[in-house]
Amino acid sequence: MISPFAFATSLALLTAVLFVLFLLLGLVAPGVFRFLFNAQFFGADVASLLPQRASFGAVVGTFVALLISAWVLGYAWAWLYNQLRKYF
């Protein structure tokens, strides 16, 4: 059995770390950021759709939304895994 709370929390923490790393990479090495960001979408130029400058409120709002989404999805994933494990 997987602990849904622990799994959700670990997924949210990994999401937070990746968000901060990508944020710092975008500030320090924009070319590398664009390459890695676009690589997630099989090379499509998705980074060009990002705003050139984001307000502090937008960054914090995105961060909070990502953390909440990651935690909820992680909890649901662990719960579903535990339910399916009973039958397989």
Side-chain angles (χ1 to χ4, degrees):
M1 295 257 315
I2 294 176
S3 167
F5 183 83
F7 187 80
T9 303
S10 66
L11 192 60
L13 285 172
L14 284 173
T15 300
V17 168
L18 283 173
F19 182 87
V20 170
L21 286 176
F22 268 91
L23 185 65
L24 293 174
L25 194 59
L27 295 172
V28 176
V32 176
F33 167 81
R34 289 181 68 84
F35 175 78
L36 290 176
F37 192 82
N38 288 333
Q40 297 176 76
F41 302 97
F42 304 105
D45 191 14
V46 179
S48 66
L49 302 173
L50 294 172
Q52 293 299 319
R53 297 209 183 258
S55 68
F56 180 74
V59 172
V60 170
T62 301
F63 183 70
V64 169
L66 279 173
L67 289 184
I68 291 170
S69 299
W71 196 93
V72 169
L73 288 172
Y75 192 92
W77 187 358
W79 177 85
L80 181 61
Y81 173 85
N82 288 335
Q83 297 305 309
L84 292 173
R85 192 157 173 356
K86 294 176 187 176
Y87 302 105
F88 297 105

